Amino acid sequence: MQTIRGFRDILPGRIGLWQKVEKEASRLFEAFGFKEIRIPVLEKTELFARSIGETTDIVEKEMYTFDDRKKDKLTLRPEATASIVRSYIQHKMYADNPIRKFYMTGPMFRRERPQKGRYRQFYQIDVEVFGVASAYIDSQLIYLLHNLFKNLGLTGLSAHINSLGCPECRPAYQKTLLNFLEAKKDLLCENCRRRMSKNPLRILDCKAQTCQDAIKNAPAILDNLCDECDNHFKIVKTTLEKQNVDFIVNKTLVRGLDYYTRTAWEIQTTSLGAQSAVAGGGRYDKLVKELGGPDTPAIGFAIGFDRLVEVMEQLNIEPLEPGLDLFIIAMGNEAMDKAYHWSCNINQNGLRSETDFQGKSLKSLMKKANKLNAGHVLIAGDKEVKENAFILRNMETKEQVIINGDSLLADLINILKKQ
Ligand code: HAM
C-alpha cells in the first residue's frame, strides 16, 4: 500500500525543522498576545463556497467534497480562515470582547496538481485577528512574519504588498479594468476570458505570458483607491518602514481568495520554482458579517509550512535535535536492571535518557552515546556495581566524577538539570 498522490508521510528523521518552526512560532505568537485555537478538518461545503468565493480555483476545482450518509455536503478544509470566522460567530466570541487573536497549525487539503512545494495535503500555520480596524495591525502581522522568518534564519524572502480597496472603491475600479481588458480580450488565455465576467481582478496575477503582456499597462487598483483605503495603505507602509521591514509594493498582487479588502500581502521566495509564495494574507473586513456575525473588521495570514521547511532545508538551517541528557552504559545483568530503573526515573523527571539492553561492549556503547549526541554518559559495569560507585562523564568537557550509588538518582538529576 502506498500514500495517495499529493499526500506524504513526514518521517521522524525530517521532523526537526518542523518542530523548530512550531516552537518559535508559538513562542512569538504568544508573546504578541495570540491564543491557540483548534478547529475541525471537516466543515459544511457552503462555509468555504461562501467565504473563499464560488468562482475561485479553490472552490471551483480543488476542494475535496463529498456527500456523507445523510447527504450533507461536506468538505475537507482547504484553508483555516473560514472555519475560524465560523467559530468566532458560532461561539459569539464578539459578545464580551470582540478583539480576538488566534493562531493554529494543521493540515489543509486542495486537489491541485502536485509538484515541488505543492501537495494535496499540506500544512499551514494560520494567524487571525478580529475586531481591529487600525492599519497598525496590518503592519504588525507583516512585522511578525518578518521576525519569525528572521529568527528561524531565513534569508532571500521578500514581502509583496498591495491594497485591494473596499466595496466603496473596488466596483468603480473593476469597471475601469474591464474597459481596459475589453480591448485586449483576444490576447487573454481561455481561463482569463472566462474570468472577465466572474472575477476580473484575478486576471492581474495570471501566470500565462500572453496575459502578462496584455495587462502590462492595465490600471492598478492602488491608483484608484478611495481616500480611506489610500490613507490606510500609507500608514501600513510608513509603519513598516519605521520598523525596517523591507517590502515591495506589487500592484498586481490580488491573492486567490475572494474575501480580501484593503491590505493583502505575500512573502515570496525564488528558491521553490513556480511555488513562490511561502506565506500569504490580508484584511477581510466584510467576511464576519457576510457569514452572519456582526460587522467586525478582521485580518490574518497563513504560512505554507511545507514550503517554509523546504526553503530552510535549502539554506541548510539546523533542525531542532534535542540530544540526550544521559546515556547509561550498562554491562552485566545487575547493571542493566539498575540502568532500566534509573533511566525510567530520569525520564519521568523530564530529562532525556536512554540505555541499551543488548549486552554490547564498552567501546560500541560509547560509540552509540556519541551518535545519540548524549551530554553525559553514566558507566555501570560489574566493577562499578560491586563498589556501588559509578562514573559520570561529561561528553563535552570530558570531565569525570564518581557518583555514589546510594544517592545516585538525586545527584544525577541535580547535575543534569543544571546543564
Ligand atoms: P493561501 O495563499 O491560499 O491563503 O495559502 C497560504 C499559503 O499556504 C500559501 O502562500 C502557500 O505557501 C501555502 N499553500 C497553499 N496551497 C498549497 C499547496 N497545495 N501545497 C503547499 N502549500 C500550499 C490562505 O489560505 C488564507 N486562508 C490565508 C489567510 C489567513 N488570509 C487571511 N487569513
Side-chain angles (χ1 to χ4, degrees), residues 81-220:
T81 312
S83 304
I84 298 177
V85 173
R86 191 240 342 109
S87 178
Y88 181 79
I89 301 169
Q90 180 176 337
H91 302 287
K92 296 193 173 54
M93 290 193 229
Y94 47 80
D96 54 334
N97 173 20
I99 299 179
R100 301 285 182 141
K101 298 164 90 175
F102 303 113
Y103 71 95
M104 61 88 52
T105 301
M108 308 294 157
F109 304 86
R110 295 183 194 175
R111 203 178 186 290
E112 294 185 82
R113 200 165 47 79
Q115 55 177 251
K116 190 173 172 54
R118 191 160 74 189
Y119 308 97
R120 290 181 170 176
Q121 174 173 333
F122 61 99
Y123 293 79
Q124 281 188 348
I125 302 175
D126 188 272
V127 163
E128 311 290 349
V129 179
F130 293 92
V132 188
S134 161
Y136 284 105
I137 207 78
D138 308 33
S139 317
Q140 194 184 48
L141 292 190
I142 299 168
Y143 173 78
L144 194 64
L145 264 171
H146 171 88
N147 279 291
L148 174 64
F149 291 165
K150 194 171 94 188
N151 296 353
L152 289 169
L154 284 144
T155 51
L157 301 178
S158 44
H160 290 235
I161 67 170
N162 194 15
S163 173
L164 301 177
C166 69
E168 287 291 309
C169 49
R170 202 188 299 167
Y173 165 71
Q174 211 150 299
K175 263 194 199 141
T176 315
L177 178 66
L178 271 175
N179 279 341
F180 172 88
L181 291 172
E182 220 32 82
K184 311 267 178 185
K185 203 170 175 180
D186 296 340
L187 303 171
L188 299 177
C189 71
E190 203 187 312
N191 210 0
C192 282
R193 257 179 270 149
R194 211 168 43 89
R195 282 171 173 156
M196 275 185 72
S197 57
K198 292 177 165 180
N199 205 343
L201 255 75
R202 290 287 294 150
I203 298 174
L204 294 177
D205 78 348
C206 178
K207 302 279 183 285
Q209 192 56 48
T210 48
C211 296
Q212 298 247 322
D213 293 343
I215 56 142
K216 217 177 218 161
N217 298 314

Side-chain angles (χ1 to χ4, degrees), residues 162-171 201 221-222 224-226 229-230 260-264 283 285:
N162 194 15
S163 173
L164 301 177
C166 69
E168 287 291 309
C169 49
R170 202 188 299 167
L201 255 75
I221 181 129
L222 262 192
N224 289 273
L225 296 176
C226 60
C229 287
D230 194 42
Y260 293 113
T261 49
R262 293 195 171 165
T263 322
R283 192 165 263 291
D285 288 342

Side-chain angles (χ1 to χ4, degrees), residues 263-333:
T263 322
W265 68 90
E266 266 176 22
I267 311 293
Q268 300 192 356
T269 169
T270 46
S271 59
L272 290 179
Q275 304 316 313
S276 56
V278 178
R283 192 165 263 291
Y284 51 96
D285 288 342
K286 304 294 161 197
L287 187 58
V288 178
K289 188 157 186 221
E290 271 165 25
L291 292 182
D295 209 351
T296 309
I299 181 167
F301 65 76
I303 299 170
F305 206 159
D306 311 66
R307 290 184 194 175
L308 178 63
V309 166
E310 276 162 34
V311 175
M312 290 170 82
E313 279 168 352
Q314 284 182 7
L315 293 170
N316 288 322
I317 292 174
E318 287 287 311
L320 194 69
E321 264 181 74
L324 273 188
D325 293 305
L326 179 74
F327 185 75
I328 307 178
I329 292 183
M331 288 164 296
N333 288 346

